[in-house]
């Protein structure tokens, strides 16, 4: 077709959720965002996102179980307006596995996947344009666009690819409650948890110095440091319980990911994935949704599906 699409095509990819191995909060800027430094690790816990021609008059995003506006719609609209693509309406379907409003970047991962899919569907893969659009969708979208671990700086827009850190297992303890990201950031500010830019620069340098090769050791003094964690725990009391559950289940470290309320149990070393899986199974009955994950492969491919 003249617009570069093939009408019966259906494309799919996986949108990996993430955890923050550390999240260091810096000064509040005039635009309401905070400077931060974070090591973001995509996980093998993924939503499935597909794109196909829509039978309706406009682009559609269908995401069973998730109400309200979807960031994937904004991704498609931005792609249309900035690439100039005016192909027939598309339908994007998101099958959720990543907990929602949990600090695991699920909505951002879906938006990043929708962006890559609509670019492929329109036959105009343009990585530079995808990289330009990603930060306009949300702070967690740039680190989830290409897959693999990243060091994130600025307000989340400066993204540096990192080699994969040493093997570990991650126990994920989701909460029934969702937390609003802006509310958690505000709470952290009120609790005096912001650090100076000089502190952030030092931490960023020490992470870069450690992350030289595949299998690098995460600096122990930074592992699991999340300045938003205490704020999430004040706003959502189940966070403290989940931290205790993770430690009692044998985790070497327990910490909040992103703005919470999901809690991560970190299980160090080659036996970590096995220990995390055993802990998830043991907790399964008591903590609904407890699962074990490892780091995801570097990037998800886009595939033709029936
Ligand atoms: O960019 P995103 O929409 O994910 O951010 C949600 C909210 O989180 C922002 O409106 C802001 O209140 C807060 N935030 C922040 N500093 C950042 C990222 C997010 O204060 N670097």
């Amino acid at each position: 077709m003249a617009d570069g699409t093939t009408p019966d095509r259906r494309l799919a990819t996986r949108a990996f959720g993430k955890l923050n191995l550390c999240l260091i909060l810096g000064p509040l800027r005039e635009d309401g965002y905070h400077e931060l430094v974070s090591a973001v690790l995509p996980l093998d816990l993924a939503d499935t996102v597909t794109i196909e021609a829509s039978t309706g008059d406009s682009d559609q995003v269908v995401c069973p179980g998730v109400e309200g506006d979807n960031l994937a719609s904004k991704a498609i609209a931005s792609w249309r307006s900035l690439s100039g693509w005016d192909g027939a309406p598309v339908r994007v379907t998101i099958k959720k596995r990543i907990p929602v409003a949990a600090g695991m970047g699920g909505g951002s991962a879906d938006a990043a996947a929708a962006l890559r899919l609509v670019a492929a569907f329109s036959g105009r893969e343009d990585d530079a344009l995808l990289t330009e659009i990603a930060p306009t969708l949300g702070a967690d979208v740039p680190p989830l666009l290409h897959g693999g671990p990243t060091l994130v700086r600025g307000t989340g827009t400066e993204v540096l690819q990192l080699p994969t850190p040493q093997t570990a297992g991650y126990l994920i303890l989701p909460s029934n409650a969702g937390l609003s990201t802006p509310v958690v950031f505000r709470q952290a500010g009120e609790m005096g948890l912001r650090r100076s830019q000089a502190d952030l620069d030092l931490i960023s340098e020490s992470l870069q110095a450690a992350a030289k090769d595949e299998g690098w050791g995460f600096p122990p003094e930074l592992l699991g440091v999340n300045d938003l964690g205490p704020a999430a725990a004040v706003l959502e009391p189940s966070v403290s319980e989940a931290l205790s559950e993770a430690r009692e289940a044998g985790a070497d470290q327990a910490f909040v990911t992103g703005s919470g309320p999901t809690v991560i149990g970190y299980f160090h070393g080659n036996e970590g994935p096995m220990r995390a899986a055993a802990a998830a199974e043991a907790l399964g009955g008591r903590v609904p949704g407890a699962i074990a994950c490892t780091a995801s492969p570097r990037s998800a491919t886009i595939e033709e599906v029936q």
Side-chain angles (χ1 to χ4, degrees):
M1 274 172 61
D3 64 13
T5 59
T6 318
D8 293 334
R9 242 175 136 201
R10 191 154 177 256
L11 303 178
T13 194
R14 297 205 298 153
F16 298 108
K18 59 85 182 167
L19 57 78
N20 301 80
L21 289 167
C22 68
L23 197 165
I24 314 297
L25 186 65
L28 176 64
R29 305 180 352 158
E30 280 189 0
D31 62 6
Y33 277 71
H34 291 78
E35 299 287 342
L36 48 82
V37 171
S38 183
V40 176
L41 184 73
L43 298 170
D44 62 351
L45 170 65
D47 296 340
T48 305
V49 186
T50 56
I51 191 167
E52 62 203 314
S54 166
T55 47
D57 306 335
S58 54
D59 294 325
Q60 264 181 298
V61 173
V62 185
C63 183
V66 182
E67 304 286 315
D69 288 347
N70 198 300
L71 206 51
S73 303
K74 195 172 164 195
I76 296 162
S78 297
W79 174 257
R80 282 192 184 275
S81 100
L82 289 169
S83 72
W85 180 63
D86 64 353
V90 294
R91 174 187 166 103
V92 167
T93 307
I94 302 169
K95 195 168 160 214
K96 292 297 301 179
R97 280 186 69 222
I98 307 168
V100 176
M104 298 196 68
S108 302
D110 296 340
L115 196 54
R116 291 169 48 239
L117 282 172
V118 71
F121 195 77
S122 64
R124 297 193 197 175
E125 280 154 89
D126 177 344
D127 199 56
L129 186 54
L130 297 185
T131 305
E132 186 188 320
I133 294 173
T136 68
L137 300 174
D140 274 337
V141 181
L144 297 174
L145 187 61
H146 293 108
T150 51
L151 174 63
V152 170
R153 294 181 302 195
T155 55
T157 48
E158 254 180 76
V159 175
L160 225 83
Q161 296 286 332
L162 297 177
T164 305
Q166 62 198 155
T167 304
Y170 301 94
L171 170 69
I172 315 288
L173 300 182
S175 158
N176 284 332
L179 274 177
S180 150
T181 306
V183 172
V184 178
F185 271 95
R186 202 177 317 126
Q187 176 72 29
E190 282 166 16
M191 291 168 73
L193 299 172
R194 297 183 190 125
R195 309 192 197 206
S196 69
Q197 187 59 48
D199 281 357
L200 262 59
D201 292 344
L202 278 176
I203 289 170
S204 167
E205 278 165 28
S206 75
L207 281 169
Q208 282 181 83
K212 288 273 182 260
D213 307 299
E214 295 293 317
W216 58 285
F218 202 89
E221 69 282 7
L222 290 174
L223 180 66
V225 176
N226 181 351
D227 292 335
L228 297 177
V234 163
L235 294 164
E236 177 46 49
S238 68
V239 164
S240 304
E241 285 161 40
L243 289 168
S244 306
E245 290 277 15
R247 288 189 197 105
E248 280 163 28
D252 302 313
Q253 290 255 20
F255 51 89
V256 171
T257 180
S259 52
T262 301
V263 161
I264 306 299
Y266 177 87
F267 292 76
H268 182 75
N270 290 338
E271 293 189 351
M274 215 176 58
R275 290 168 55 220
E281 206 179 316
L283 282 175
R286 230 157 12 99
V287 183
I291 47 166
C293 290
T294 55
S296 80
R298 190 145 282 275
S299 66
T301 51
I302 291 179
E303 285 164 13
E304 296 257 8
V305 287
Q306 292 302 309

